[in-house]
């Protein structure tokens, strides 16, 4: 899951940007969430000290009520999140050259000329980040599994879903080529996987890339290979 951070000292503009993001995430079912929206650079920097995955940052350049500006904040972010995606939002197009002065690699520079432009550009940034993360992070990752007599390495892209077994303290991994039952807990396995996996039910951990469709009425997730997984009531409400 990709965390999103907004640092904007204008309350109305901050809430507008957040609403664009939240609406898009909900409609497109993106594996993202707004981790923090604030006017305080200090709160943002404190928040990212505890994170490990790259984030997406929407930063106002002219933080008038704060001790540092958006460019200085971006430099501090880079110390904690060198792979993060930084987007500047400002009313001053002439200040864009300062991204080079501060030696900041920014993915975009959005001008506050009208709300439609901001909304479109914010969505384009989210789409671009989703594509980059998908292309960069998917290949070459494995889940290491210890069975009774073997240690297996299953590529994440091959895993369809993982479910709890009828046998106590065991779970079952369903991949494109095999089914593996081993000792473990869904929660512990989820912590080892990446953003493409979602918990659709307390007993199911599903790879979104292999989902064919959601049946909200029946509470079923149909996989591309014809298998079915359960969909919890809470998850169904989130998807509605």
């Amino acid at each position: 899951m990709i965390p999103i951070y907004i640092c904007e000292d204008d309350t109305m503009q901050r809430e507008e940007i957040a609403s664009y993001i939240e609406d898009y995430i909900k409609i497109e079912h993106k594996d993202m969430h707004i981790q923090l929206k604030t006017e305080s650079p200090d709160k943002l920097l404190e928040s990212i000290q505890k994170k490990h995955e790259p984030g997406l940052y929407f930063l106002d350049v002219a933080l008038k009520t704060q001790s540092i500006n958006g460019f200085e904040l971006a430099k501090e972010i880079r110390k904690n999140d060198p792979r993060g995606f930084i987007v500047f939002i400002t009313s001053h197009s002439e200040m864009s050259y300062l991204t080079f002065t501060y030696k900041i690699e920014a993915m975009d520079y959005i001008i506050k000329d009208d709300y439609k432009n901001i909304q479109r550009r914010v969505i384009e940034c989210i789409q671009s980040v989703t594509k980059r993360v998908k292309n960069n992070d998917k290949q070459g990752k494995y889940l290491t599994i210890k069975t009774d007599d073997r240690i297996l390495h299953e590529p994440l892209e091959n895993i369809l879903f993982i479910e709890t077994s009828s046998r106590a303290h065991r779970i079952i991994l369903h991949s494109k080529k095999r089914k593996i039952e081993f000792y473990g807990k869904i929660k512990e396995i989820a912590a080892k996987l990446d953003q493409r996996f979602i918990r659709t039910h307390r007993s199911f951990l599903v790879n979104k890339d292999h989902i064919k469709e959601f049946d909200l009425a029946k509470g079923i997730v149909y996989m591309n290979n014809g298998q079915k997984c359960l969909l919890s009531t809470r998850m169904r409400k989130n998807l509605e």
Side-chain angles (χ1 to χ4, degrees), residues 29-63:
H29 306 300
K30 293 296 182 183
D31 191 22
M32 299 175 160
H33 70 288
I34 295 180
Q35 182 72 29
L36 180 70
K37 50 182 180 180
T38 181
E39 66 175 12
S40 169
D42 292 334
K43 287 184 179 179
L44 191 155
L45 293 174
E46 181 182 355
S47 178
I48 67 174
Q49 287 179 358
K50 304 172 184 178
K51 65 179 287 298
H52 301 288
E53 65 282 290
L56 170 56
Y57 304 85
F58 291 94
L59 309 178
D60 182 19
V61 169
L63 296 167

XYZ file of all heavy atoms in Angstrom, residues 29-63:
288
model
N -10.345 1.903 -6.762
C -9.908 0.830 -5.853
C -8.387 0.722 -5.802
O -7.820 -0.372 -5.856
C -10.518 -0.522 -6.269
C -12.008 -0.499 -6.405
N -12.837 -0.189 -5.352
C -12.811 -0.737 -7.472
C -14.104 -0.247 -5.756
N -14.107 -0.559 -7.035
N -7.728 1.856 -5.705
C -6.270 1.873 -5.663
C -5.769 1.469 -4.273
O -6.396 1.776 -3.254
C -5.738 3.267 -6.005
C -6.004 3.691 -7.445
C -5.289 2.807 -8.431
C -5.503 3.252 -9.856
N -4.854 2.344 -10.833
N -4.641 0.778 -4.256
C -4.053 0.345 -3.001
C -3.193 1.467 -2.424
O -1.975 1.388 -2.350
C -3.229 -0.917 -3.225
C -2.822 -1.565 -1.923
O -3.486 -1.303 -0.900
O -1.834 -2.317 -1.911
N -3.877 2.544 -2.047
C -3.238 3.729 -1.485
C -4.122 4.254 -0.357
O -5.294 3.902 -0.251
C -3.101 4.829 -2.542
C -2.253 4.479 -3.740
S -2.303 5.839 -4.957
C -0.843 5.487 -5.915
N -3.565 5.105 0.466
C -4.375 5.776 1.473
C -3.658 7.056 1.893
O -2.434 7.162 1.776
C -4.601 4.886 2.692
C -3.366 4.675 3.516
N -2.318 3.883 3.092
C -2.993 5.169 4.722
C -1.367 3.886 4.012
N -1.744 4.664 4.995
N -4.433 8.023 2.345
C -3.838 9.260 2.855
C -3.370 8.996 4.277
O -4.175 8.799 5.187
C -4.835 10.432 2.814
C -5.202 10.765 1.360
C -4.234 11.662 3.502
C -6.191 11.908 1.227
N -2.078 8.980 4.455
C -1.481 8.720 5.765
C -1.561 9.960 6.650
O -1.779 9.859 7.859
C -0.025 8.309 5.591
C 0.704 7.951 6.874
C 0.261 6.630 7.443
O -0.160 5.751 6.713
N 0.349 6.485 8.745
N -1.384 11.135 6.014
C -1.374 12.367 6.801
C -1.688 13.557 5.913
O -1.189 13.655 4.795
C 0.007 12.563 7.443
C 0.191 13.811 8.312
C -0.617 13.685 9.600
C 1.670 14.029 8.630
N -2.527 14.460 6.410
C -2.738 15.764 5.768
C -2.560 16.804 6.861
O -3.231 16.783 7.879
C -4.115 15.850 5.108
C -5.291 15.445 5.969
C -6.589 15.525 5.195
C -7.769 15.110 6.074
N -9.054 15.187 5.347
N -1.642 17.725 6.639
C -1.251 18.633 7.701
C -0.708 19.932 7.129
O -0.358 20.014 5.952
C -0.185 17.975 8.600
O 0.184 18.856 9.657
C 1.065 17.645 7.787
N -0.623 20.935 7.972
C 0.056 22.179 7.601
C 1.478 22.202 8.162
O 2.265 23.090 7.839
C -0.710 23.384 8.131
C -0.735 23.470 9.648
C -1.393 24.721 10.174
O -2.041 25.435 9.391
O -1.249 24.992 11.382
N 1.802 21.211 8.980
C 3.065 21.212 9.712
C 4.119 20.306 9.089
O 3.959 19.081 9.052
C 2.818 20.767 11.154
O 4.028 20.519 11.828
N 5.228 20.863 8.618
C 6.338 20.036 8.126
C 6.888 19.112 9.211
O 7.278 17.984 8.933
C 7.382 21.071 7.704
C 6.611 22.316 7.440
C 5.491 22.298 8.425
N 6.897 19.590 10.450
C 7.425 18.793 11.557
C 6.597 17.526 11.762
O 7.142 16.446 12.000
C 7.447 19.605 12.847
C 8.469 20.736 12.807
O 9.454 20.611 12.046
O 8.275 21.741 13.515
N 5.271 17.649 11.682
C 4.406 16.482 11.843
C 4.626 15.485 10.718
O 4.613 14.274 10.932
C 2.939 16.914 11.881
C 2.532 17.593 13.170
C 1.041 17.917 13.174
C 0.632 18.575 14.486
N -0.824 18.917 14.495
N 4.815 15.986 9.505
C 5.053 15.100 8.368
C 6.377 14.347 8.553
O 6.430 13.121 8.384
C 5.071 15.896 7.071
C 5.055 15.086 5.769
C 4.458 15.921 4.635
C 6.456 14.624 5.365
N 7.422 15.060 8.916
C 8.728 14.420 9.086
C 8.710 13.414 10.234
O 9.346 12.358 10.155
C 9.804 15.480 9.327
C 10.086 16.408 8.143
C 11.058 17.521 8.546
C 10.658 15.624 6.970
N 7.972 13.728 11.267
C 7.835 12.784 12.382
C 7.111 11.520 11.937
O 7.466 10.404 12.326
C 7.065 13.439 13.531
C 6.893 12.536 14.740
C 6.095 13.197 15.845
O 5.747 14.393 15.712
O 5.798 12.522 16.843
N 6.115 11.694 11.101
C 5.311 10.560 10.639
C 6.112 9.595 9.788
O 5.971 8.376 9.909
C 4.096 11.066 9.849
O 3.328 10.003 9.355
N 6.974 10.115 8.908
C 7.684 9.232 7.977
C 8.903 8.554 8.599
O 9.500 7.676 7.976
C 8.107 9.975 6.691
C 9.166 11.033 6.987
C 6.900 10.584 6.001
C 9.718 11.676 5.737
N 9.255 8.929 9.814
C 10.370 8.257 10.468
C 10.040 6.802 10.777
O 10.918 5.968 10.939
C 10.740 8.986 11.760
C 11.444 10.313 11.529
C 11.775 11.028 12.815
O 11.458 10.559 13.911
N 12.413 12.182 12.706
N 8.733 6.484 10.857
C 8.304 5.144 11.237
C 7.923 4.289 10.030
O 7.471 3.168 10.178
C 7.103 5.243 12.174
C 7.368 6.093 13.404
C 6.085 6.322 14.192
C 6.333 7.257 15.368
N 5.076 7.537 16.112
N 8.102 4.809 8.823
C 7.657 4.096 7.629
C 8.832 3.443 6.901
O 9.982 3.813 7.102
C 6.917 5.036 6.672
C 7.809 6.124 6.092
C 7.057 7.017 5.143
C 6.763 6.336 3.848
N 7.984 5.951 3.115
N 8.486 2.481 6.032
C 9.516 1.781 5.277
C 9.261 1.835 3.768
O 10.195 1.816 2.984
C 9.598 0.324 5.734
C 9.897 0.167 7.180
N 11.140 0.437 7.719
C 9.113 -0.210 8.220
C 11.116 0.220 9.024
N 9.894 -0.171 9.352
N 7.994 1.890 3.369
C 7.686 1.907 1.948
C 7.733 3.323 1.396
O 7.507 4.293 2.122
C 6.308 1.288 1.677
C 5.135 2.076 2.271
C 4.957 1.855 3.741
O 4.567 0.774 4.150
O 5.197 2.832 4.490
N 8.079 3.479 0.104
C 8.110 4.819 -0.497
C 6.732 5.470 -0.448
O 5.711 4.801 -0.615
C 8.540 4.543 -1.943
C 9.208 3.220 -1.906
C 8.493 2.439 -0.846
N 6.703 6.780 -0.211
C 5.439 7.510 -0.142
C 5.283 8.471 -1.304
O 6.229 8.730 -2.064
N 4.080 8.999 -1.437
C 3.777 10.046 -2.416
C 3.465 11.312 -1.633
O 2.588 11.313 -0.769
C 2.582 9.626 -3.280
C 1.975 10.681 -4.203
C 3.014 11.262 -5.150
C 0.796 10.086 -4.983
N 4.180 12.400 -1.947
C 4.076 13.634 -1.173
C 3.582 14.788 -2.039
O 4.166 15.068 -3.090
C 5.444 14.010 -0.589
C 6.063 12.926 0.261
C 6.814 11.905 -0.327
C 5.908 12.916 1.639
C 7.386 10.903 0.432
C 6.481 11.921 2.421
C 7.209 10.912 1.812
O 7.777 9.917 2.573
N 2.524 15.450 -1.587
C 2.039 16.667 -2.226
C 2.381 17.829 -1.289
O 1.816 17.953 -0.197
C 0.528 16.593 -2.472
C 0.142 15.595 -3.527
C -0.220 14.297 -3.173
C 0.149 15.934 -4.872
C -0.574 13.368 -4.142
C -0.199 15.011 -5.850
C -0.564 13.718 -5.482
N 3.320 18.667 -1.723
C 3.854 19.717 -0.854
C 3.580 21.106 -1.411
O 3.893 21.380 -2.574
C 5.366 19.530 -0.684
C 5.868 18.141 -0.272
C 7.399 18.157 -0.201
C 5.266 17.711 1.049
N 3.031 21.953 -0.572
C 2.908 23.364 -0.934
C 4.306 23.986 -0.850
O 5.066 23.694 0.078
C 1.956 24.055 0.042
C 1.732 25.521 -0.297
O 2.000 25.907 -1.455
O 1.297 26.279 0.584
N 4.640 24.804 -1.817
C 5.973 25.418 -1.828
C 6.070 26.519 -0.781
O 7.013 26.568 0.007
C 6.302 25.988 -3.224
C 7.561 26.852 -3.161
C 6.490 24.851 -4.222
N 5.080 27.406 -0.760
C 5.121 28.561 0.142
C 4.339 28.261 1.413
O 3.156 28.585 1.536
C 4.557 29.793 -0.554
N 4.994 27.626 2.370
C 4.366 27.346 3.667
C 4.561 28.577 4.552
O 5.473 28.646 5.372
C 5.002 26.098 4.287
C 4.790 24.800 3.495
C 5.701 23.697 4.015
C 3.335 24.360 3.574
